[in-house]
Amino acid sequence: MLDVGCGTGQLLRRARAEGHRGRLMGLDPAAAMLVQARAARPDVEWVLGDTRVRHWEAGFDLVVMTGHAFQALVGDEEIRCCLRAVREALRPGGRFVFEVGNPAARAWERWTPERTHETVAADGTPVRVTHEVLDGGPRDGRVRFTEAYDSDRWPAPRVSRGVLRFLDPGSLAGFLAAAGFAVVEQYGDWDGRPPAPAAPEIITVATPAP
């Protein structure tokens, strides 16, 4: 199993903890994320980089991209490059599983500073997370936003900027077909409901086409 954009490796760490005995590999361009992943599970392969510079030939039965990592691919060529690399990495009959936010659900309208998500940093520090959309909303399917992290223990908030691309079902299908993938299943949310115009997610299970 290959997790593209694995971050701190929570998915693979859980897979190993729950008894997965096969090869597990996490790929991420953020070295700091992989430091945490490696410290928690040294028995998983953690690789620095992305699908532009790292390639495997028929090495995996399953490739996943979680946490809307696929939407961080904002350019057409970035998407094509990633899909080519994933297809090459899969064995015949393997599966590529990933999700994107459904643009029809307009999730970015709820990314306001008034909506706070609370989490805990790696050192145990309680952190408040807020988002704010820039430019008034999506432009060419791309939503630019700030993500602010704040804690009573910090002297000031820490703010980062990001961009996510929202692909409609037709555009997503076109990219997959052009890369040689066939869609096996799709869902509209994590409860297994079928795709729908206003469903929050487009969760896709694809396989290399014959």
Side-chain angles (χ1 to χ4, degrees):
M1 175 181 173
L2 171 64
D3 185 355
V4 177
C6 65
T8 58
Q10 292 188 33
L11 178 62
L12 297 182
R13 287 155 54 183
R14 179 172 177 178
R16 186 67 88 204
E18 294 189 3
H20 192 292
R21 295 289 178 262
R23 184 186 188 191
L24 296 176
M25 178 180 291
L27 175 69
D28 201 276
M33 294 280 195
L34 296 182
V35 167
Q36 295 183 49
R38 194 171 290 113
R41 260 351 274 211
D43 56 347
V44 173
E45 297 177 61
W46 306 107
V47 179
L48 181 65
D50 57 36
T51 54
R52 293 173 298 179
V53 297
R54 300 284 187 173
H55 298 278
W56 295 270
E57 185 174 347
F60 299 93
D61 300 299
L62 175 65
V63 177
V64 299
M65 294 183 74
T66 62
H68 298 101
F70 192 85
Q71 290 182 253
L73 306 171
V74 297
D76 288 1
E77 187 53 34
E78 287 180 88
I79 294 174
R80 295 188 188 104
C81 177
C82 179
L83 289 175
R84 285 195 299 266
V86 169
R87 195 181 190 285
E88 291 173 2
L90 283 170
R91 294 171 179 164
R95 295 289 189 267
F96 176 38
V97 183
F98 66 102
E99 91 283 1
V100 298
N102 183 0
R106 303 182 66 83
W108 57 84
E109 293 180 347
R110 298 183 291 278
W111 299 352
T112 64
E114 294 74 30
R115 293 173 62 93
T116 302
H117 167 67
E118 295 188 357
T119 186
V120 178
D123 63 358
T125 301
V127 178
R128 296 179 295 275
V129 185
T130 57
H131 298 85
E132 185 172 5
V133 173
L134 306 175
D135 304 327
R139 294 188 177 185
D140 299 322
R142 297 159 178 84
V143 176
R144 292 164 176 80
F145 61 96
T146 60
E147 191 169 38
Y149 301 84
D150 193 16
S151 175
D152 295 336
R153 301 181 187 177
W154 297 346
R158 304 173 185 179
V159 181
S160 65
R161 289 174 175 259
V163 183
L164 292 178
R165 183 170 181 179
F166 285 79
L167 291 168
D168 62 75
S171 298
L172 180 60
F175 278 114
L176 288 168
F181 279 101
V183 174
V184 178
E185 296 175 284
Q186 279 190 321
Y187 305 96
D189 206 349
W190 296 105
D191 57 8
R193 73 181 70 173
E201 306 283 355
I202 305 173
I203 302 167
T204 301
V205 182
T207 190

